[in-house]
Structure formats: structure tokens, C-alpha cells
Amino acid sequence: MKIQEGYIPFRSYQTYYRVVGDLTSGLTPLLLLHGGPGSTHNYFEAFDKLAEQTGRPVVMYDQLGCGKSSHPADTSLWRAETWVAELQALRDYLHLDRVHLLGQSWGGMLAIIYLCDYQPAGIQSLILASTLSSAKLWAQEQHRMIRFMAPADQEAIKLAEVTGDFTSAAYLAANDRYMVAHAAGPVTADSPEFLRRPKQSGTVAYETAWGPNEYFPTGTLKNYDYTEKLTQLTTPTLVTSGTNDLCTPLVAKTMVDHLQHAEWTLFAHSRHMAFIDETPTYLARLTRWLADQE
């Protein structure tokens, strides 16, 4: 498949993008919004197979503050408005007048904010992958799952939250175990190259916008709550999540229950990235969805 890489100007910065396939193919492109904030596009290269199998172009990019895009020192940038403006700038630059929009984790939050607050034209369908409509509910569900951890891990996490010290060895080990259980396993020699490739994560963007970890939001997104606003959306929406996901079934069902036109697929053997844990199954489901919405 043809792969085009480049940079778009965004304010005084640069945003890296990657297009797989031909944007003039006649098929509506799939535009991908990665998680974090600050996780980079790398894991989305799993979707190259979709472009190869269907001919549908796939567009991904590194959001400002991570990966191959600019890393400004100005922490006041790390708020939703910045990333929404960047998303629109990318669509304008690449002439993405009509797209299927997939957002994973924070990327799904970004998609929800974009659709609810800005009412953009040309969104053919929406795919909300392991994401959330309420930071409060998300934190509540993470703490429910933490209660299934070993007592020592629970205590280390509780102490970190009480003291604000997220640097102790006990806390870091507990957090690692939590993330392996519910987010993603360690990268090994058998992992795909795009996961093994070194990347520059946006740690400052993540900590400023979200917080020190997945279950203790303290940043500019801590009051994010779009659950009721979801009722405004008329865009056909596919919600996807895994049975062992940070996006618990309650988080996913809350979104589905508030959306006017939603389907939900729960992947039985997945954590936070079903397209990594169950790539063929996920891509098959997504391929059917995109064809039905075309």
C-alpha cells in the first residue's frame, strides 16, 4: 500500500501525519485519534491491514505534544481546545471533507468533544473505542477494579493518592500490574514492529491534561462529563471495548444508553486496545461497520 507521511502547519508548530492508501479512492477515509493524551499514532499501524484488505484509506497522526509532532514547552496548550483545533486543521489541510472518525481512549473523548461542541460537517460515522463520556465515572470504575488487587497494591495506590507522591517503588509496581491487567501487556520481541519501535510519548501533556495515572484525574480534563450531551448526537456510532478493559462494561454501556444510534461490540479477550489484542476479529467487525455506513 502507498504510505504518505508529512507535516501540517499548526499555529507555530508542526503536526506529523501518516496516510495509508489513496485518499482519491472514492471510499470515505478512516481518521484515527490516538489516546493519551500523548500516546502517539504507533499502535494504529495495526489498521494498515484494513487499508490493504479493503482499499479504504486510513489517516493517523501524532497529536501536538507527542511522537513526531512538535513538543511545545507551553503547558497551557494541554487542554481539549488545542487538540480540537489541531484536528480541524488536519482535516482542512488534507481535504478530509468526509470521514469515518475513530477515537480510542482519550481520542474518543476528543471525538465526543469535537462532535458535541463544534458540530463538524462530514462525519459519516463515529467509532468510540475503549473510551469514556465521564471522567468521574471512569475514576469510579477504576477504583472498583483496584479493589480486586492484592491488599499491598491497594494500599500503595491509596497512599499515593492521599500523599500526592506517585514515585514510590510500591506504587509504581502496583500501577504497572494494574495497567498490564487492564491496558496492555509488555512489549516483547514477538510484538509487532510498530509497538517495538521507540517513540516519544507526551508525558507532560498526559500529566497536565489528565493526571498521574488512569484512575486519579487531576488535570484540565478532570471535570470532563459529556454523558448527557451524547443524547444530542445523531451520527451512527459503534462503541467497542474489551472485557478486561479500563473502559469497563458500565462505562461502555453508559455511552450506548445515551446515544441515539449506537451499536456495541464487546471483545471477549481484550484489554484497552482490542485492535491489538484481537486484531483480526476487530478489523473484521470494523470492516463490516464501515461498509454498512458507507
Side-chain angles (χ1 to χ4, degrees):
M1 291 294 294
K2 174 186 175 184
I3 298 177
Q4 175 191 352
E5 298 176 280
Y7 293 87
I8 73 160
F10 174 61
R11 299 180 181 171
S12 57
Y13 312 113
Q14 286 191 315
T15 296
Y16 165 85
Y17 69 87
R18 181 177 182 270
V19 179
V20 185
D22 184 1
L23 289 176
T24 65
S25 68
L27 291 172
T28 305
L30 174 65
L31 175 57
L32 305 173
L33 309 179
H34 68 67
S39 288
T40 83
H41 81 278
N42 294 38
Y43 63 168
F44 277 155
E45 293 184 29
F47 289 88
D48 288 8
K49 292 180 181 178
L50 184 139
E52 294 166 3
Q53 293 167 358
T54 67
R56 183 181 303 279
V58 176
V59 182
M60 59 196 77
Y61 68 105
D62 287 339
Q63 295 162 24
L64 193 69
C66 72
K68 298 180 180 180
S69 294
S70 298
H71 291 244
D74 180 5
T75 57
S76 70
L77 290 166
W78 308 137
R79 51 199 319 109
E81 294 85 352
T82 299
W83 288 301
V84 168
E86 180 187 37
L87 168 57
Q88 189 58 55
L90 179 89
R91 288 189 66 194
D92 292 343
Y93 187 88
L94 294 178
H95 307 293
L96 301 174
D97 300 326
R98 194 152 201 84
V99 296
H100 298 282
L101 188 63
L102 184 153
Q104 190 267 343
S105 195
W106 146 250
M109 297 167 63
L110 176 58
I112 289 170
I113 294 167
Y114 183 48
L115 267 67
C116 288
D117 290 352
Y118 297 84
Q119 295 84 44
I123 307 300
Q124 186 91 358
S125 78
L126 177 65
I127 303 94
L128 297 176
S130 297
T131 188
L132 57 144
S133 60
S134 164
K136 182 179 180 181
L137 178 60
W138 183 266
Q140 172 187 308
E141 279 291 273
Q142 307 316 306
H143 283 92
R144 180 183 61 80
M145 292 196 294
I146 287 169
R147 291 199 295 272
F148 292 99
M149 300 181 74
D153 285 346
Q154 294 184 54
E155 187 59 33
I157 289 170
K158 181 179 178 180
L159 182 62
E161 292 183 347
V162 169
T163 63
D165 179 8
F166 297 91
T167 63
S168 75
Y171 159 76
L172 293 172
N175 188 60
D176 282 348
R177 281 187 280 271
Y178 185 78
M179 294 300 282
V180 167
H182 300 294
V187 175
T188 70
D190 295 327
S191 299
E193 184 277 333
F194 54 79
L195 294 181
R196 291 184 279 112
R197 185 190 318 142
K199 69 176 187 179
Q200 192 169 357
S201 298
T203 304
V204 175
Y206 178 83
E207 292 179 350
T208 305
W210 184 252
N213 55 44
E214 281 303 304
Y215 37 85
F216 197 62
T218 57
T220 58
L221 296 168
K222 68 179 180 181
N223 295 320
Y224 165 87
D225 190 345
Y226 277 68
T227 301
E228 295 304 322
K229 288 187 178 183
L230 291 181
T231 62
Q232 306 168 9
L233 297 185
T234 59
T235 306
T237 303
L238 174 64
V239 175
T240 66
S241 60
T243 53
N244 295 316
D245 203 334
L246 296 168
C247 172
T248 66
L250 178 59
V251 171
K253 187 176 186 299
T254 297
M255 293 186 290
V256 172
D257 286 350
H258 285 80
L259 287 160
Q260 294 188 38
H261 304 290
E263 297 179 19
W264 176 22
T265 299
L266 180 62
F267 291 86
H269 310 288
S270 289
R271 291 160 290 187
H272 198 41
M273 287 159 275
F275 51 84
I276 297 296
D277 285 344
E278 298 183 65
T279 303
T281 306
Y282 193 96
L283 293 183
R285 177 66 183 100
L286 183 59
T287 296
R288 292 196 305 273
W289 169 262
L290 296 174
D292 289 345
Q293 305 307 320
E294 195 70 24

